[in-house]
Structure formats: C-alpha cells, structure tokens
C-alpha cells in the first residue's frame, strides 16, 4: 500500500518568504508527527497531531512555525518569514495510534533551502 | 531531560567486519527503544526495536539488547555488507505519552568492498 508522502521533495526559497510543506499520512493513521533533520542538530521533534488536534507543539522552534491537519489526514507545516537557519529536511511520520508501542512510518522528507 | 547519545561517525569498515554502534539514553522510566536506518536517498525506516529490559531486537542480521542497568541499546552486526552503508539513528519514545521520538545524532556507516 501507499506509504507516507510529502511534497515538495525540494524547496528553495528566499529569506523572508513563507513556505508550506505538505504531508499525506498512511490512510487510517490517526497520529501524525513532524520532525526536522538539520546539520548539527540531528533529528528534532516539532509537533504531534492526534486526529486534527495538536496536543504537543513543544518542538516548534518559534512562532513563525505553525501546522494544521484537516480531515484527520493531510497536514501542512507552514514557515513564515523564513530564515537561513530554517534550512533542513522536514520529515513527516504517521502511526496507527499514538503511544509507545506503535511504529512510526516516515515519509521521504522535504529538503528546504533558504537562501 | 530526555536525550540520546550515539557514537560519532563516520564509521568506515571493510566488508565482513564486525560492527558496533554505541547508544546510551537518558529517560524517565523504561521507554521502548529503536534503531532507525536511512539509506542514501531514502526515508527513515525502522530497523529494530525492543520494548522492555533485556529484550533483544533483531532484523537483517543486526541486533541490539535493551540494557536497563547501563541505559544502553548498542547496535551490532557480525558481518557487514556494502549494502549496509547508511545513517543509523538510535531513538526512544519521550516521556510524554504522545509517542514522539527522541533521536540521537545519527552515525554514518560506510562499508568498503
């Protein structure tokens, strides 16, 4: 079956512009996660969705970052007024349920470059 | 707070050599532990996991044992292949019950023929 998909695969933008990154989780997965993979910082958790609500936003680095999920499916991560330090690979993962015993399935990521 | 420490890479080995990648963690309680692998040009995928102390996770010839007393989950393989060249991440579920993963920095493995 289809895995987690993300779009675009690559995004180059100018400093100060807004960007939207999209994640399509595996059908039926209620839990959705965003992570960021950057040089020197490794893989960091950003936000977690259960259905359409986000009970854990603790990893969002600033108020320029926001995310939403609609219909319990697609999620969009928005970065406003991008900065060069936002350059990273943004990964999305989904899981049938949240919690410690459920495997997370990762998408291929969106590589964001801010010039 | 929750954290994972992995041995720094890159690790370069010849084919058929023995591999160990060290991983230790700091966590509240006894979380499930994972190794994820990222092959060149591909997404992260789960390699193996262990959910309780003394459990051994295994897959594709890789093994890791959940050591509660040393808070460690070292990855081992007896004979590596060129196709094992990838980045390996140790991880566990953070102390909240959301299932968010706390990752180590990743260790790059390069296997030469």
């Amino acid at each position: 079956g289809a895995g987690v998909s993300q779009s675009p695969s690559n995004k180059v933008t100018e400093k100060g512009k807004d960007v939207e990154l999209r994640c399509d989780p595996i059908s039926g997965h209620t839990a959705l996660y965003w992570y960021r993979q950057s040089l020197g910082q490794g893989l960091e958790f950003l936000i977690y969705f259960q259905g359409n609500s986000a009970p854990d936003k603790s990893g969002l680095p600033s108020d320029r970052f926001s995310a939403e999920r609609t219909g319990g499916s697609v999620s969009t991560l928005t970065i406003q007024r991008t900065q060069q330090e936002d350059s990273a690979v943004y990964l999305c993962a989904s899981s049938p349920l949240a919690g410690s015993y459920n495997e997370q399935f990762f998408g291929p990521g969106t590589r964001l470059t801010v010039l | 707070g929750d954290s994972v420490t992995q041995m720094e890479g890159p690790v370069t080995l010849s084919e058929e050599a023995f591999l160990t990648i060290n991983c230790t963690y700091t966590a509240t309680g006894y979380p499930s532990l994972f190794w994820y692998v990222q092959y060149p040009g591909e997404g992260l995928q789960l390699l193996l996991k262990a959910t309780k102390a003394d459990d051994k996770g295994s897959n594709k010839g890789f093994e890791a044992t959940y050591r509660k007393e040393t808070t460690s989950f070292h990855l081992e393989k007896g004979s590596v292949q060129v196709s094992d060249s990838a980045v390996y991440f140790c991880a566990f579920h953070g102390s909240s019950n959301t299932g968010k993963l706390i990752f180590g920095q990743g260790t790059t493995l390069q296997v030469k023929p």
Side-chain angles (χ1 to χ4, degrees), chain A residues 5 9-10 16 19 33 35 42 45 50 53 55-57 63 68-71 73 77 82 87 96 99 104 108:
Chain A
S5 61
S9 55
N10 278 286
V19 295
Y33 305 82
Y35 296 89
F45 165 79
Q50 178 60 39
S53 64
D56 189 348
K57 307 178 184 179
D63 59 7
E68 65 175 11
R69 188 179 184 194
T70 55
S73 180
L77 177 69
T82 52
S87 296
Q104 293 181 24

Side-chain angles (χ1 to χ4, degrees), chain A residues 10-26:
Chain A
N10 278 286
K11 176 71 176 179
V12 179
T13 190
E14 293 180 349
K15 178 181 171 181
K17 301 279 191 182
D18 298 351
V19 295
E20 286 189 353
L21 312 180
R22 176 187 169 108
C23 171
D24 281 272
I26 293 172

Side-chain angles (χ1 to χ4, degrees), chain A residues 31 33 35 37 40-45 48 55-56 58 91 98-108, chain B residues 31-32 34 36 38 42-46 49 51 87 89 93-94 96-105:
Chain A
Y33 305 82
Y35 296 89
Q37 185 176 17
Q41 298 294 324
L43 263 162
E44 307 169 284
F45 165 79
Y48 152 67
D56 189 348
S58 62
L91 296 173
S100 300
Y101 298 98
N102 291 284
E103 179 180 351
Q104 293 181 24
F105 296 84
F106 282 80
Chain B
S32 296
F34 306 86
Y36 278 83
Q38 189 173 36
E42 298 184 17
L44 268 175
Q45 50 188 277
L46 180 66
K49 67 179 182 182
T51 57
V87 183
F89 293 90
H93 282 131
S96 70
N97 59 4
T98 62
K100 70 181 183 185
L101 289 165
I102 309 298
F103 286 92
Q105 295 283 81

